[in-house]
Amino acid sequence: MNDEVIKLIKELLNSEGKLDCGTAFKISAKTGVDIAEVGKIAQEIGVRIDTCELGQFGKFKSEVANGDAKVFSALKPLIDEKKRVFCKDAREAAKGVGLKSVRATLKEHKIDVKYCELGCFKEKKGKKMVIKTKTWIENGSGELLFGKGKTEVLDVISQTGSIKAASEVLEMNYKKCWTHLKILQTNLNEELFETTQGGGKNAGTVLKPRAYELMNAYKQLEKDIEEFANKRFKELFLKKDK
């Protein structure tokens, strides 16, 4: 084993006697030892890895932050059929935007990470049963007013400043993207955005305060419902026999 790596691992343990993921990568960069080897050495000397920088375990798992449309656009081609992305690819996407943006994007889009570069896991095994929720808001006639799709369109427009750019990020037909917005405004009978035509620096689409208010309220509602559903699911379906 590499004595320098062992020395640094022991010197840089966190308050719980574990090696933070970010610290492991710094050790790898400093010593020139491959990150997988750093993880292997830590395991061999009985040191556990903590605080995954991609938010898969540790303190960042409960972090609250908004995802980034450009990060999602970069990750989308790399996501497999089970909504997973390689650890290495996710970290690569963080270059220039930061790991916090990647963590938030993974969490917001419920993208899992596979094949940890430190060897903490290959493919995380889920429970035999999981609860799924879907939240949308209708009017008295059963017409959709607000839901995940429309929220996502507004969110990406707020980041890109353009309906066209948003449709490209979401890989959605421009007409469909525009229709989402028209239906939303018509059903709510409120102006939610303003579009300036032309090719100047002021051209594009800007959301109005009410759009942000609705978008944030929906996200909070969705989060609250998911938390309650998960809690109740565990109580009813995953309770241990006494």
Side-chain angles (χ1 to χ4, degrees):
M1 286 191 285
N2 188 300
D3 291 338
E4 184 183 5
V5 171
I6 294 173
K7 181 174 180 291
L8 287 170
I9 288 174
K10 290 181 177 179
E11 286 177 354
L12 299 173
L13 297 178
N14 64 22
S15 59
E16 296 181 356
K18 300 176 183 177
L19 180 66
D20 286 336
C21 168
T23 304
F25 274 89
K26 288 176 183 176
I27 291 173
S28 172
K30 182 174 182 177
T31 61
V33 175
D34 185 77
I35 188 61
E37 183 63 19
V38 173
K40 184 180 177 182
I41 291 171
Q43 185 179 31
E44 288 177 352
I45 63 174
V47 173
R48 295 182 64 183
I49 304 297
D50 196 15
T51 314
C52 169
E53 289 194 298
L54 293 175
Q56 299 302 293
F57 55 84
K59 66 181 181 182
F60 290 138
K61 189 172 177 64
S62 57
E63 182 180 52
V64 177
N66 291 323
D68 186 290
K70 291 181 180 178
V71 172
F72 180 61
S73 183
L75 288 173
K76 200 167 184 179
L78 306 172
I79 300 169
D80 69 15
E81 69 282 356
K82 293 183 180 179
K83 287 199 76 173
R84 302 170 304 178
V85 65
F86 283 106
C87 171
K88 187 174 182 179
D89 289 337
R91 294 188 68 91
E92 187 68 26
K95 292 180 179 178
V97 296
L99 284 159
K100 184 174 182 179
S101 290
V102 173
R103 283 196 299 272
T105 303
L106 292 172
K107 187 173 183 179
E108 184 173 298
H109 294 277
K110 297 182 174 63
I111 302 166
D112 207 354
V113 174
K114 61 182 179 180
Y115 288 88
C116 165
E117 287 197 87
L118 279 164
C120 295
F121 55 81
K122 289 186 178 180
E123 297 183 62
K124 295 185 294 178
K125 295 180 180 179
K127 298 182 179 70
K128 291 182 179 179
M129 293 191 294
V130 293
I131 183 73
K132 298 287 185 181
T133 62
K134 188 174 181 180
T135 306
W136 67 93
I137 301 167
E138 299 178 349
N139 62 17
S141 302
E143 296 170 320
L144 177 66
L145 293 181
F146 217 74
K148 190 172 184 66
K150 290 176 174 55
T151 302
E152 194 171 48
V153 169
L154 289 175
D155 203 359
V156 178
I157 287 174
S158 74
Q159 295 179 50
T160 62
S162 161
I163 298 173
K164 183 176 184 296
S167 66
E168 290 172 355
V169 168
L170 295 168
E171 294 184 357
M172 183 186 293
N173 179 280
Y174 176 86
K175 186 177 180 181
K176 184 177 180 181
C177 195
W178 176 247
T179 301
H180 267 303
L181 296 172
K182 284 184 69 177
I183 290 173
L184 193 55
Q185 283 204 146
T186 300
N187 288 345
L188 290 172
N189 195 28
E190 295 185 70
E191 288 192 11
L192 302 176
F193 61 92
E194 185 176 350
T195 297
T196 303
Q197 303 291 340
K201 63 179 182 179
N202 294 322
T205 300
V206 178
L207 299 187
K208 296 197 171 185
R210 179 58 173 157
Y212 285 102
E213 185 182 321
L214 288 168
M215 190 166 61
N216 292 332
Y218 174 81
K219 286 182 179 180
Q220 186 62 54
L221 176 65
E222 185 181 44
K223 178 176 178 290
D224 291 347
I225 289 172
E226 283 185 359
E227 286 179 354
F228 175 78
N230 276 313
K231 179 176 179 293
R232 196 70 179 121
F233 172 70
K234 289 174 183 176
E235 292 171 352
L236 294 172
F237 288 88
L238 302 179
K239 58 186 178 182
K240 295 179 181 178
D241 295 331
K242 294 183 179 180

